[in-house]
Amino acid sequence: ISLSGESGLAADRYKASGRMISIQQDGTVKIDGMVYAVDGLARIISWEGKQVSLREISLPARVSFEYEATEEGRVIKRLLEIPQ
């Protein structure tokens, strides 16, 4: 997993990339062994550049994503599928 961060007045936001291997019933995803919640308003973009639902991403998938570190855990705000 690659990682970079930005800090601001809101929650800390980070950019990362990795291999998404599962989508759980509760809406969490596993990327490179780490579990992330996915915000209900998160933008999910397919490798074709179209906005899609999380379940439309074929697994396993290489992804680039932005997430916030909150008191409840890591929450994805934007996810982009990288062409294989």
Side-chain angles (χ1 to χ4, degrees), residues 16-34:
S17 61
R19 186 177 175 97
M20 184 167 68
I21 59 170
S22 69
I23 302 168
Q24 303 303 313
Q25 290 293 330
D26 64 1
T28 60
V29 297
K30 188 178 274 190
I31 301 172
D32 290 343
M34 301 287 287

Side-chain angles (χ1 to χ4, degrees), residues 33-81:
M34 301 287 287
V35 175
Y36 298 85
V38 179
D39 188 293
L41 299 175
R43 289 185 48 112
I44 312 297
I45 308 296
S46 73
W47 63 271
E48 299 168 309
K50 298 177 183 175
Q51 189 162 345
V52 296
S53 73
L54 187 60
R55 302 230 177 251
E56 291 179 77
I57 303 290
S58 297
L59 300 177
R62 292 223 6 97
V63 295
S64 172
F65 58 102
E66 294 180 16
Y67 70 95
E68 289 183 355
T70 68
E71 290 181 11
E72 293 79 32
R74 296 172 296 269
V75 181
I76 292 177
K77 299 294 185 174
R78 183 174 188 276
L79 185 136
L80 173 66
E81 181 181 23

